[in-house]
Amino acid sequence: MAFKEGFLWGGATAANQCEGAWNVDGRGPALTDVTTGGSVNSPRYVTFVDKDGKPGKIPAHGGVLPEGAKYAVLEDELYPNHDGIDFYHHYKEDIALFAEMGFKTFRMSISWSRLYPNGDELEPNPKGIEFYRNVFTELKKYNIEPLVTIWHFDTPLYLEEHYGGWKNRELISFYERFVKTCFTEFKGLVKYWLTFNEINNTVMFLDLFGGKASDEAYQNAYQHLHHQFVASARAVKIGHEIDSENQIGCMICGITFYPLTSDPKDILANRHTWEQNIFYCGDVQCKGEYGSYAKRLWKEHNVNLEITEQDVKDLKEGTVDIYTFSYYMSTIVTTHKVDEKVGGNFSAGAKNPYLTYSDWGWALDPDGLTYYLEMIYDRYHKPLMVVENGLGAFDKVEEDGSIHDPYRIEYFREHIKAMDTAIENGVDLIGFTPWGCIDLVSAGTGEMRKRYGFIYVDKHDDGTGTMKRSKKDSFEWYKKVIASNGKDI
Ligand code: BGP
């Protein structure tokens, strides 16, 4: 195996999906706190009260709040993110388990609204700072390097409601204040940072409308992204000024796209999908400017972006140090009519007869990971990290409390081999943090039963459960993998 000495093996989580304590110690709400539970057949909803005080809900992805309505937590709804897996009160126990597995790094995110409850305050909430300082200190106790996502889908709800979210340029300065606080307060405790989780989802998601998203939706998505690019670039500059040790990365939702046929129209459509969904963000964040194809993308949807001279300068000066991404699946692009579309993680495409699929319909494709790693490394020549990868599956607790998950071990074994191949072929891969190393709330469906962890958490879709942690078979297996630096798989 080709994994370098010091390879960062670990696991990944996000605040809104695991911390719970949604209204504790001064934390303000985020959109996920007004998002209901769901399942693969029943999407998540965002709840509100309309201008006459009548409750209602809109789809969590793509829903538009009616005029005059206000987001609201409703009495008879279940909000799984409110409790998550209560990492807020279990972090010591959880970190001890990560340490037992031999984690070198732990990816987590900082809840913006725990530090700035509304997002536009001038001073941070001291209780929020204290919590994260405690978590980082605990990690350091075991020599686990924190890898911190600054924004993981959780803009404070107040900023969504009162400023219209990221399509408003003002969000850049609020984010700037937030990151300055993070870099200053946690200096010496954290050196690996990611500015925005799966930043490309905003535009990739529009594809799910089968080419029918409106020009206005594209305009908003591209402007939203532009603001996040500038915010990210400024964060990189600020982070480097505050501590030259800081390594700051982008985080892209990595999906490998293949054409369905050899029809040149499919080959071209596939290339354009890579440009829109993957390269668009990576190019700006790694090269400091929009790719040449961006003009075509904007023109296709009559997009007119507001880009200032200062933005251009910031993007150039704020390129990231590392490229990180999630990888769960590949998908198929075609201009031909297909009977069945399969999808997951903000994408959908034709079914691939050469692959098998998870219980949630996500294509299992380790070769696609090698492909992605080699393609991206060649494009940017920056160190790479796979900061999410994993199998969402049903796990069964046996009578004696054991949990046998050979399917998860098999999944990781194949993906580790795929990473090894890419390293052999010259890719500078420096870390691997499997998603949901401890079971947590699914971002897409809000389920608990879609489990990713090496550690099982007794928490269920109906909100019941003791929150007790227990080890699955994959726990001991991953421990061996880390101890042997990827040799013993
Ligand atoms: C990514 C997100 C994560 C995570 C993961 C798995 O999109 O960055 O937050 O949840 O996918 O997706 P899901 O939870 O829908 O299974």
Side-chain angles (χ1 to χ4, degrees), residues 188-238:
L189 287 170
V190 180
K191 76 169 192 218
Y192 289 106
W193 303 89
L194 308 178
T195 55
F196 286 91
N197 182 65
E198 292 191 341
I199 191 167
N200 52 327
N201 282 354
T202 301
V203 67
M204 189 154 75
F205 166 70
L206 296 173
D207 271 1
L208 292 182
F209 295 95
K212 290 199 181 64
S214 66
D215 283 357
E216 192 192 352
Y218 276 93
Q219 170 70 35
N220 287 340
Y222 281 123
Q223 192 65 58
H224 162 134
L225 265 182
H226 178 72
H227 294 149
Q228 291 194 331
F229 292 153
V230 174
S232 171
R234 292 204 194 156
V236 172
K237 290 208 288 186
I238 297 167

Tab-separated table of all heavy atoms in Angstrom, residues 188-238:
chain	number	residue	atom	x	y	z
A	188	GLY	N	-3.776	27.727	17.108
A	188	GLY	CA	-2.947	26.799	17.893
A	188	GLY	C	-3.654	25.478	18.166
A	188	GLY	O	-3.023	24.477	18.493
A	189	LEU	N	-4.989	25.486	18.042
A	189	LEU	CA	-5.735	24.237	18.279
A	189	LEU	C	-6.127	23.583	16.958
A	189	LEU	O	-6.229	22.365	16.850
A	189	LEU	CB	-7.011	24.524	19.081
A	189	LEU	CG	-6.848	24.849	20.563
A	189	LEU	CD1	-8.158	25.353	21.146
A	189	LEU	CD2	-6.379	23.612	21.339
A	190	VAL	N	-6.387	24.433	15.956
A	190	VAL	CA	-6.830	23.911	14.657
A	190	VAL	C	-5.925	24.465	13.568
A	190	VAL	O	-5.631	25.661	13.571
A	190	VAL	CB	-8.280	24.393	14.348
A	190	VAL	CG1	-8.753	23.861	12.995
A	190	VAL	CG2	-9.242	23.972	15.446
A	191	LYS	N	-5.474	23.613	12.657
A	191	LYS	CA	-4.752	24.166	11.502
A	191	LYS	C	-5.359	23.765	10.150
A	191	LYS	O	-5.095	24.399	9.140
A	191	LYS	CB	-3.264	23.854	11.580
A	191	LYS	CG	-2.846	22.453	11.245
A	191	LYS	CD	-1.317	22.408	11.105
A	191	LYS	CE	-0.893	21.109	10.488
A	191	LYS	NZ	0.322	20.565	11.022
A	192	TYR	N	-6.216	22.728	10.124
A	192	TYR	CA	-6.869	22.340	8.870
A	192	TYR	C	-8.305	22.870	8.853
A	192	TYR	O	-9.099	22.548	9.745
A	192	TYR	CB	-6.900	20.815	8.713
A	192	TYR	CG	-5.545	20.207	8.430
A	192	TYR	CD1	-4.857	19.512	9.408
A	192	TYR	CD2	-4.955	20.345	7.172
A	192	TYR	CE1	-3.608	18.953	9.149
A	192	TYR	CE2	-3.713	19.809	6.902
A	192	TYR	CZ	-3.044	19.106	7.890
A	192	TYR	OH	-1.811	18.568	7.626
A	193	TRP	N	-8.618	23.666	7.842
A	193	TRP	CA	-9.943	24.305	7.742
A	193	TRP	C	-10.515	24.102	6.339
A	193	TRP	O	-9.763	24.146	5.362
A	193	TRP	CB	-9.819	25.812	7.948
A	193	TRP	CG	-9.202	26.243	9.223
A	193	TRP	CD1	-7.868	26.453	9.465
A	193	TRP	CD2	-9.876	26.557	10.446
A	193	TRP	NE1	-7.686	26.883	10.759
A	193	TRP	CE2	-8.898	26.951	11.383
A	193	TRP	CE3	-11.220	26.544	10.839
A	193	TRP	CZ2	-9.222	27.331	12.687
A	193	TRP	CZ3	-11.534	26.923	12.135
A	193	TRP	CH2	-10.546	27.305	13.048
A	194	LEU	N	-11.828	23.950	6.266
A	194	LEU	CA	-12.518	23.904	4.970
A	194	LEU	C	-13.553	25.023	4.982
A	194	LEU	O	-14.311	25.148	5.954
A	194	LEU	CB	-13.210	22.553	4.770
A	194	LEU	CG	-12.311	21.320	4.990
A	194	LEU	CD1	-13.118	20.035	4.811
A	194	LEU	CD2	-11.126	21.331	4.029
A	195	THR	N	-13.583	25.821	3.924
A	195	THR	CA	-14.427	27.024	3.987
A	195	THR	C	-15.926	26.739	3.812
A	195	THR	O	-16.745	27.236	4.568
A	195	THR	CB	-13.972	28.069	2.957
A	195	THR	OG1	-13.955	27.456	1.663
A	195	THR	CG2	-12.592	28.615	3.289
A	196	PHE	N	-16.290	25.927	2.799
A	196	PHE	CA	-17.710	25.635	2.546
A	196	PHE	C	-17.873	24.172	2.170
A	196	PHE	O	-17.220	23.705	1.230
A	196	PHE	CB	-18.258	26.486	1.390
A	196	PHE	CG	-18.492	27.921	1.747
A	196	PHE	CD1	-17.485	28.865	1.558
A	196	PHE	CD2	-19.699	28.330	2.294
A	196	PHE	CE1	-17.695	30.196	1.892
A	196	PHE	CE2	-19.913	29.662	2.639
A	196	PHE	CZ	-18.904	30.598	2.438
A	197	ASN	N	-18.745	23.470	2.848
A	197	ASN	CA	-19.010	22.076	2.515
A	197	ASN	C	-19.780	21.945	1.199
A	197	ASN	O	-20.764	22.656	0.977
A	197	ASN	CB	-19.848	21.428	3.622
A	197	ASN	CG	-20.102	19.960	3.353
A	197	ASN	OD1	-19.163	19.158	3.346
A	197	ASN	ND2	-21.351	19.594	3.087
A	198	GLU	N	-19.318	21.033	0.355
A	198	GLU	CA	-20.012	20.729	-0.915
A	198	GLU	C	-20.584	21.998	-1.553
A	198	GLU	O	-21.780	22.074	-1.861
A	198	GLU	CB	-21.098	19.671	-0.690
A	198	GLU	CG	-20.515	18.315	-0.341
A	198	GLU	CD	-21.530	17.178	-0.359
A	198	GLU	OE1	-22.742	17.434	-0.291
A	198	GLU	OE2	-21.102	16.011	-0.432
A	199	ILE	N	-19.693	22.941	-1.763
A	199	ILE	CA	-20.110	24.262	-2.261
A	199	ILE	C	-20.855	24.152	-3.597
A	199	ILE	O	-21.751	24.926	-3.888
A	199	ILE	CB	-18.873	25.185	-2.351
A	199	ILE	CG1	-19.278	26.642	-2.600
A	199	ILE	CG2	-17.856	24.706	-3.377
A	199	ILE	CD1	-18.144	27.645	-2.381
A	200	ASN	N	-20.499	23.139	-4.400
A	200	ASN	CA	-21.092	22.995	-5.737
A	200	ASN	C	-22.535	22.497	-5.733
A	200	ASN	O	-23.202	22.532	-6.767
A	200	ASN	CB	-20.233	22.069	-6.612
A	200	ASN	CG	-19.917	20.742	-5.958
A	200	ASN	OD1	-19.761	20.674	-4.743
A	200	ASN	ND2	-19.816	19.687	-6.742
A	201	ASN	N	-23.046	22.060	-4.585
A	201	ASN	CA	-24.419	21.543	-4.552
A	201	ASN	C	-25.434	22.562	-5.062
A	201	ASN	O	-26.430	22.199	-5.693
A	201	ASN	CB	-24.830	21.160	-3.123
A	201	ASN	CG	-24.235	19.836	-2.723
A	201	ASN	OD1	-23.613	19.179	-3.547
A	201	ASN	ND2	-24.387	19.448	-1.475
A	202	THR	N	-25.181	23.818	-4.791
A	202	THR	CA	-26.130	24.870	-5.151
A	202	THR	C	-26.483	24.836	-6.636
A	202	THR	O	-27.638	24.980	-7.011
A	202	THR	CB	-25.532	26.247	-4.785
A	202	THR	OG1	-25.288	26.227	-3.394
A	202	THR	CG2	-26.447	27.388	-5.135
A	203	VAL	N	-25.469	24.618	-7.459
A	203	VAL	CA	-25.761	24.626	-8.893
A	203	VAL	C	-26.057	23.211	-9.396
A	203	VAL	O	-26.919	22.999	-10.239
A	203	VAL	CB	-24.638	25.345	-9.675
A	203	VAL	CG1	-23.346	24.592	-9.615
A	203	VAL	CG2	-25.031	25.573	-11.114
A	204	MET	N	-25.387	22.213	-8.796
A	204	MET	CA	-25.582	20.829	-9.215
A	204	MET	C	-27.054	20.424	-9.016
A	204	MET	O	-27.643	19.722	-9.829
A	204	MET	CB	-24.676	19.926	-8.384
A	204	MET	CG	-24.631	18.523	-8.872
A	204	MET	SD	-23.102	17.757	-8.401
A	204	MET	CE	-23.381	17.460	-6.693
A	205	PHE	N	-27.587	20.915	-7.927
A	205	PHE	CA	-28.951	20.616	-7.536
A	205	PHE	C	-29.971	21.007	-8.618
A	205	PHE	O	-30.990	20.348	-8.802
A	205	PHE	CB	-29.181	21.368	-6.220
A	205	PHE	CG	-30.584	21.475	-5.793
A	205	PHE	CD1	-31.259	20.358	-5.351
A	205	PHE	CD2	-31.244	22.691	-5.835
A	205	PHE	CE1	-32.572	20.458	-4.952
A	205	PHE	CE2	-32.554	22.793	-5.449
A	205	PHE	CZ	-33.223	21.668	-5.005
A	206	LEU	N	-29.660	22.066	-9.370
A	206	LEU	CA	-30.610	22.532	-10.392
A	206	LEU	C	-30.826	21.488	-11.478
A	206	LEU	O	-31.871	21.444	-12.121
A	206	LEU	CB	-30.125	23.845	-11.008
A	206	LEU	CG	-30.053	25.018	-10.028
A	206	LEU	CD1	-29.418	26.215	-10.688
A	206	LEU	CD2	-31.439	25.372	-9.520
A	207	ASP	N	-29.845	20.620	-11.679
A	207	ASP	CA	-29.962	19.540	-12.660
A	207	ASP	C	-31.093	18.579	-12.337
A	207	ASP	O	-31.618	17.900	-13.214
A	207	ASP	CB	-28.671	18.700	-12.666
A	207	ASP	CG	-27.672	19.280	-13.644
A	207	ASP	OD1	-27.982	20.305	-14.255
A	207	ASP	OD2	-26.595	18.679	-13.781
A	208	LEU	N	-31.421	18.503	-11.059
A	208	LEU	CA	-32.461	17.562	-10.638
A	208	LEU	C	-33.820	17.941	-11.233
A	208	LEU	O	-34.746	17.155	-11.233
A	208	LEU	CB	-32.563	17.492	-9.117
A	208	LEU	CG	-31.361	16.871	-8.408
A	208	LEU	CD1	-31.603	16.812	-6.914
A	208	LEU	CD2	-31.103	15.461	-8.917
A	209	PHE	N	-33.930	19.173	-11.756
A	209	PHE	CA	-35.190	19.572	-12.373
A	209	PHE	C	-35.244	19.146	-13.838
A	209	PHE	O	-36.096	19.611	-14.591
A	209	PHE	CB	-35.387	21.088	-12.243
A	209	PHE	CG	-35.529	21.534	-10.819
A	209	PHE	CD1	-34.434	21.986	-10.096
A	209	PHE	CD2	-36.758	21.466	-10.185
A	209	PHE	CE1	-34.564	22.362	-8.771
A	209	PHE	CE2	-36.895	21.848	-8.856
A	209	PHE	CZ	-35.802	22.302	-8.147
A	210	GLY	N	-34.296	18.287	-14.235
A	210	GLY	CA	-34.292	17.749	-15.589
A	210	GLY	C	-34.220	18.841	-16.649
A	210	GLY	O	-34.919	18.788	-17.653
A	211	GLY	N	-33.360	19.847	-16.401
A	211	GLY	CA	-33.167	20.919	-17.378
A	211	GLY	C	-34.298	21.945	-17.352
A	211	GLY	O	-34.369	22.822	-18.196
A	212	LYS	N	-35.179	21.824	-16.347
A	212	LYS	CA	-36.346	22.718	-16.350
A	212	LYS	C	-36.274	23.819	-15.294
A	212	LYS	O	-37.244	24.554	-15.104
A	212	LYS	CB	-37.624	21.901	-16.152
A	212	LYS	CG	-37.959	21.037	-17.364
A	212	LYS	CD	-39.418	20.603	-17.338
A	212	LYS	CE	-39.768	19.730	-18.516
A	212	LYS	NZ	-39.027	18.438	-18.525
A	213	ALA	N	-35.141	23.918	-14.596
A	213	ALA	CA	-35.039	24.993	-13.606
A	213	ALA	C	-35.077	26.326	-14.353
A	213	ALA	O	-34.563	26.439	-15.463
A	213	ALA	CB	-33.745	24.853	-12.821
A	214	SER	N	-35.693	27.324	-13.738
A	214	SER	CA	-35.867	28.613	-14.429
A	214	SER	C	-34.553	29.384	-14.492
A	214	SER	O	-33.629	29.134	-13.720
A	214	SER	CB	-36.899	29.448	-13.676
A	214	SER	OG	-36.369	29.778	-12.407
A	215	ASP	N	-34.499	30.347	-15.414
A	215	ASP	CA	-33.323	31.211	-15.500
A	215	ASP	C	-33.103	31.937	-14.180
A	215	ASP	O	-31.973	32.160	-13.757
A	215	ASP	CB	-33.505	32.238	-16.632
A	215	ASP	CG	-33.268	31.595	-18.000
A	215	ASP	OD1	-32.923	30.389	-18.048
A	215	ASP	OD2	-33.423	32.304	-19.011
A	216	GLU	N	-34.196	32.293	-13.529
A	216	GLU	CA	-34.086	32.995	-12.248
A	216	GLU	C	-33.393	32.104	-11.206
A	216	GLU	O	-32.566	32.564	-10.423
A	216	GLU	CB	-35.481	33.388	-11.768
A	216	GLU	CG	-35.446	34.353	-10.616
A	216	GLU	CD	-36.800	34.515	-9.947
A	216	GLU	OE1	-37.807	33.997	-10.471
A	216	GLU	OE2	-36.824	35.154	-8.873
A	217	ALA	N	-33.746	30.806	-11.235
A	217	ALA	CA	-33.114	29.882	-10.291
A	217	ALA	C	-31.604	29.803	-10.551
A	217	ALA	O	-30.802	29.778	-9.615
A	217	ALA	CB	-33.748	28.499	-10.411
A	218	TYR	N	-31.218	29.785	-11.836
A	218	TYR	CA	-29.784	29.767	-12.164
A	218	TYR	C	-29.104	31.071	-11.747
A	218	TYR	O	-28.009	31.066	-11.191
A	218	TYR	CB	-29.575	29.512	-13.672
A	218	TYR	CG	-29.606	28.041	-14.008
A	218	TYR	CD1	-30.778	27.423	-14.407
A	218	TYR	CD2	-28.446	27.256	-13.894
A	218	TYR	CE1	-30.816	26.065	-14.696
A	218	TYR	CE2	-28.479	25.902	-14.186
A	218	TYR	CZ	-29.664	25.311	-14.581
A	218	TYR	OH	-29.683	23.966	-14.859
A	219	GLN	N	-29.799	32.191	-12.025
A	219	GLN	CA	-29.242	33.501	-11.650
A	219	GLN	C	-28.955	33.513	-10.140
A	219	GLN	O	-27.858	33.864	-9.702
A	219	GLN	CB	-30.250	34.605	-12.025
A	219	GLN	CG	-29.921	35.995	-11.491
A	219	GLN	CD	-28.716	36.622	-12.178
A	219	GLN	OE1	-28.504	36.422	-13.373
A	219	GLN	NE2	-27.903	37.369	-11.441
A	220	ASN	N	-29.942	33.097	-9.355
A	220	ASN	CA	-29.773	33.101	-7.903
A	220	ASN	C	-28.664	32.153	-7.467
A	220	ASN	O	-27.850	32.479	-6.603
A	220	ASN	CB	-31.074	32.692	-7.199
A	220	ASN	CG	-32.101	33.796	-7.265
A	220	ASN	OD1	-31.753	34.958	-7.497
A	220	ASN	ND2	-33.362	33.436	-7.095
A	221	ALA	N	-28.641	30.966	-8.083
A	221	ALA	CA	-27.642	29.970	-7.685
A	221	ALA	C	-26.228	30.466	-8.001
A	221	ALA	O	-25.319	30.356	-7.170
A	221	ALA	CB	-27.906	28.651	-8.397
A	222	TYR	N	-26.029	31.012	-9.180
A	222	TYR	CA	-24.685	31.476	-9.546
A	222	TYR	C	-24.261	32.708	-8.732
A	222	TYR	O	-23.086	32.858	-8.385
A	222	TYR	CB	-24.597	31.757	-11.054
A	222	TYR	CG	-24.432	30.494	-11.889
A	222	TYR	CD1	-25.329	30.173	-12.893
A	222	TYR	CD2	-23.355	29.627	-11.674
A	222	TYR	CE1	-25.176	29.014	-13.669
A	222	TYR	CE2	-23.203	28.472	-12.439
A	222	TYR	CZ	-24.114	28.176	-13.431
A	222	TYR	OH	-23.943	27.029	-14.177
A	223	GLN	N	-25.232	33.574	-8.426
A	223	GLN	CA	-24.858	34.748	-7.618
A	223	GLN	C	-24.540	34.313	-6.183
A	223	GLN	O	-23.567	34.775	-5.588
A	223	GLN	CB	-26.002	35.789	-7.645
A	223	GLN	CG	-25.595	37.142	-7.082
A	223	GLN	CD	-24.530	37.850	-7.915
A	223	GLN	OE1	-24.713	38.104	-9.087
A	223	GLN	NE2	-23.378	38.154	-7.301
A	224	HIS	N	-25.362	33.418	-5.669
A	224	HIS	CA	-25.145	32.819	-4.338
A	224	HIS	C	-23.722	32.235	-4.286
A	224	HIS	O	-22.942	32.515	-3.380
A	224	HIS	CB	-26.242	31.758	-4.171
A	224	HIS	CG	-26.050	30.711	-3.122
A	224	HIS	ND1	-27.049	30.364	-2.253
A	224	HIS	CD2	-25.027	29.887	-2.797
A	224	HIS	CE1	-26.651	29.401	-1.448
A	224	HIS	NE2	-25.419	29.083	-1.772
A	225	LEU	N	-23.394	31.452	-5.333
A	225	LEU	CA	-22.060	30.827	-5.370
A	225	LEU	C	-20.955	31.865	-5.445
A	225	LEU	O	-19.927	31.733	-4.781
A	225	LEU	CB	-21.949	29.927	-6.611
A	225	LEU	CG	-22.259	28.474	-6.402
A	225	LEU	CD1	-22.056	27.705	-7.692
A	225	LEU	CD2	-21.357	27.878	-5.324
A	226	HIS	N	-21.181	32.892	-6.259
A	226	HIS	CA	-20.137	33.921	-6.381
A	226	HIS	C	-19.854	34.530	-5.002
A	226	HIS	O	-18.694	34.730	-4.628
A	226	HIS	CB	-20.543	34.996	-7.390
A	226	HIS	CG	-19.513	36.069	-7.495
A	226	HIS	ND1	-18.288	35.868	-8.106
A	226	HIS	CD2	-19.470	37.346	-6.999
A	226	HIS	CE1	-17.566	36.962	-8.001
A	226	HIS	NE2	-18.256	37.874	-7.336
A	227	HIS	N	-20.900	34.809	-4.250
A	227	HIS	CA	-20.694	35.380	-2.911
A	227	HIS	C	-19.927	34.401	-2.026
A	227	HIS	O	-19.061	34.806	-1.254
A	227	HIS	CB	-22.038	35.759	-2.275
A	227	HIS	CG	-22.733	36.874	-2.993
A	227	HIS	ND1	-24.094	36.987	-3.048
A	227	HIS	CD2	-22.239	37.921	-3.719
A	227	HIS	CE1	-24.420	38.068	-3.758
A	227	HIS	NE2	-23.303	38.640	-4.178
A	228	GLN	N	-20.248	33.129	-2.151
A	228	GLN	CA	-19.508	32.146	-1.332
A	228	GLN	C	-18.054	32.045	-1.791
A	228	GLN	O	-17.154	31.871	-0.964
A	228	GLN	CB	-20.201	30.783	-1.387
A	228	GLN	CG	-21.558	30.800	-0.663
A	228	GLN	CD	-22.126	29.419	-0.397
A	228	GLN	OE1	-21.870	28.475	-1.139
A	228	GLN	NE2	-22.927	29.302	0.644
A	229	PHE	N	-17.804	32.152	-3.093
A	229	PHE	CA	-16.407	32.111	-3.572
A	229	PHE	C	-15.606	33.267	-2.976
A	229	PHE	O	-14.473	33.095	-2.527
A	229	PHE	CB	-16.340	32.238	-5.105
A	229	PHE	CG	-16.890	31.059	-5.864
A	229	PHE	CD1	-17.403	31.232	-7.149
A	229	PHE	CD2	-16.874	29.787	-5.322
A	229	PHE	CE1	-17.906	30.157	-7.862
A	229	PHE	CE2	-17.378	28.702	-6.034
A	229	PHE	CZ	-17.899	28.894	-7.305
A	230	VAL	N	-16.218	34.456	-2.996
A	230	VAL	CA	-15.505	35.632	-2.467
A	230	VAL	C	-15.306	35.451	-0.960
A	230	VAL	O	-14.218	35.698	-0.425
A	230	VAL	CB	-16.284	36.934	-2.785
A	230	VAL	CG1	-15.623	38.128	-2.111
A	230	VAL	CG2	-16.368	37.144	-4.293
A	231	ALA	N	-16.350	34.987	-0.285
A	231	ALA	CA	-16.255	34.762	1.163
A	231	ALA	C	-15.154	33.739	1.460
A	231	ALA	O	-14.348	33.913	2.386
A	231	ALA	CB	-17.598	34.265	1.700
A	232	SER	N	-15.086	32.697	0.651
A	232	SER	CA	-14.073	31.660	0.851
A	232	SER	C	-12.674	32.239	0.632
A	232	SER	O	-11.751	32.005	1.425
A	232	SER	CB	-14.331	30.503	-0.123
A	232	SER	OG	-13.273	29.587	-0.109
A	233	ALA	N	-12.521	33.008	-0.429
A	233	ALA	CA	-11.205	33.587	-0.735
A	233	ALA	C	-10.753	34.519	0.383
A	233	ALA	O	-9.594	34.503	0.807
A	233	ALA	CB	-11.269	34.331	-2.062
A	234	ARG	N	-11.705	35.317	0.870
A	234	ARG	CA	-11.336	36.229	1.974
A	234	ARG	C	-10.971	35.433	3.212
A	234	ARG	O	-10.051	35.785	3.955
A	234	ARG	CB	-12.481	37.181	2.281
A	234	ARG	CG	-12.689	38.153	1.145
A	234	ARG	CD	-13.358	39.416	1.653
A	234	ARG	NE	-13.844	40.195	0.523
A	234	ARG	CZ	-14.839	41.082	0.594
A	234	ARG	NH1	-15.451	41.278	1.730
A	234	ARG	NH2	-15.200	41.741	-0.471
A	235	ALA	N	-11.689	34.331	3.429
A	235	ALA	CA	-11.384	33.486	4.594
A	235	ALA	C	-9.966	32.924	4.470
A	235	ALA	O	-9.216	32.893	5.453
A	235	ALA	CB	-12.397	32.347	4.699
A	236	VAL	N	-9.584	32.514	3.274
A	236	VAL	CA	-8.234	31.964	3.092
A	236	VAL	C	-7.200	33.040	3.434
A	236	VAL	O	-6.234	32.789	4.167
A	236	VAL	CB	-8.030	31.459	1.637
A	236	VAL	CG1	-6.586	31.070	1.395
A	236	VAL	CG2	-8.959	30.282	1.337
A	237	LYS	N	-7.436	34.255	2.934
A	237	LYS	CA	-6.476	35.337	3.204
A	237	LYS	C	-6.406	35.636	4.708
A	237	LYS	O	-5.324	35.736	5.283
A	237	LYS	CB	-6.892	36.607	2.442
A	237	LYS	CG	-6.701	36.473	0.934
A	237	LYS	CD	-6.437	37.801	0.258
A	237	LYS	CE	-7.658	38.686	0.200
A	237	LYS	NZ	-7.452	39.918	-0.578
A	238	ILE	N	-7.550	35.757	5.324
A	238	ILE	CA	-7.591	36.064	6.769
A	238	ILE	C	-6.920	34.939	7.558
A	238	ILE	O	-6.115	35.173	8.453
A	238	ILE	CB	-9.063	36.240	7.249
A	238	ILE	CG1	-9.705	37.436	6.553
A	238	ILE	CG2	-9.135	36.386	8.757
A	238	ILE	CD1	-11.228	37.498	6.718
